């Protein structure tokens, strides 16, 4: 395995659409590209962290501002070949440290209730279950929230 380089994306987040879509296809398999392309230009104060292996994007964590004190961690994933190697944790730690430094007090995320690896990762990183719902498509979704340390 090559060394992983972690970096924050500083260009306009819409410019990341093509490499993000390629990674989403590897991570999620059934990801709808129109969903990402429609949302990227409209998210407030995007915060994109990347894991880069051998010059290729191998993982990402994308969040955005929701109000003065909340960073919503919207989308993230790690290429299947690197799962279980701490990449998701490293991305999350960097995202949360930067959010705290920027004055955010909370991070919140939602995931499908069946996504146990993500729920457990969040719990290990200080999140608490803040809500549960059945979304408009009939999918059970868990909301998790974490208070950031200044």
């Amino acid at each position: 395995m090559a060394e992983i380089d972690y970096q924050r994306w500083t260009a306009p987040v819409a410019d990341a659409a093509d490499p993000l879509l390629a990674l989403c296809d590897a991570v999620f398999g059934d990801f709808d590209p129109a969903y990402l392309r429609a949302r990227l230009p409209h998210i407030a104060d995007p915060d994109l962290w990347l894991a880069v292996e051998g010059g290729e994007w191998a993982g990402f964590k994308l969040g955005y501002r929701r109000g003065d004190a909340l960073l919503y961690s919207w989308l993230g994933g790690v290429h299947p070949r690197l799962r279980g190697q701490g990449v998701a944790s490293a991305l999350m730690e960097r995202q949360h440290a930067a959010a705290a430094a920027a004055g955010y007090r909370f991070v919140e995320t939602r995931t499908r209730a069946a996504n146990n690896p993500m729920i457990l990762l969040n719990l290990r990183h200080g999140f608490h279950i803040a809500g549960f719902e059945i979304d408009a498509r009939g999918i059970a979704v868990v909301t998790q929230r974490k208070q950031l340390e200044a």
Side-chain angles (χ1 to χ4, degrees):
M1 177 175 87
E3 185 172 320
I4 304 294
D5 178 38
Y6 296 95
Q7 50 192 252
R8 191 177 205 176
W9 180 262
T10 56
V13 75
D15 292 351
D18 288 338
L20 271 178
L21 284 169
L23 188 51
C24 285
D25 189 49
V27 169
F28 304 114
D30 62 351
F31 192 81
D32 178 8
Y35 174 69
L36 184 72
R37 287 195 188 281
R39 292 221 29 212
L40 279 181
H42 304 289
I43 60 176
D45 297 333
D47 186 42
L48 174 59
W49 287 87
L50 302 169
V52 180
E53 179 193 38
E56 298 291 322
W57 290 16
F60 73 102
K61 194 86 172 132
L62 175 57
Y64 58 88
R65 179 178 48 81
R66 273 197 179 164
D68 293 337
L70 178 67
L71 177 75
Y72 182 70
S73 186
W74 170 45
L75 193 59
V78 174
H79 195 285
R81 76 176 180 278
L82 294 177
R83 289 185 185 152
Q85 298 180 39
V87 175
S89 288
L91 287 165
M92 184 182 293
E93 289 163 3
R94 284 164 173 79
Q95 181 190 57
H96 296 181
Y104 290 101
R105 294 182 40 228
F106 301 96
V107 175
E108 188 172 280
T109 191
R110 298 175 71 223
T111 191
R112 292 179 177 192
N115 189 351
N116 289 330
M118 189 73 238
I119 292 169
L120 292 171
L121 177 68
N122 288 337
L123 291 171
R124 283 193 302 272
H125 283 274
F127 281 84
H128 301 280
I129 304 293
F132 176 85
E133 67 182 280
I134 305 297
D135 73 9
R137 296 166 295 170
I139 297 169
V141 176
V142 174
T143 300
Q144 293 177 282
R145 183 178 268 223
K146 174 183 177 177
Q147 184 168 349
L148 296 171
E149 298 179 20

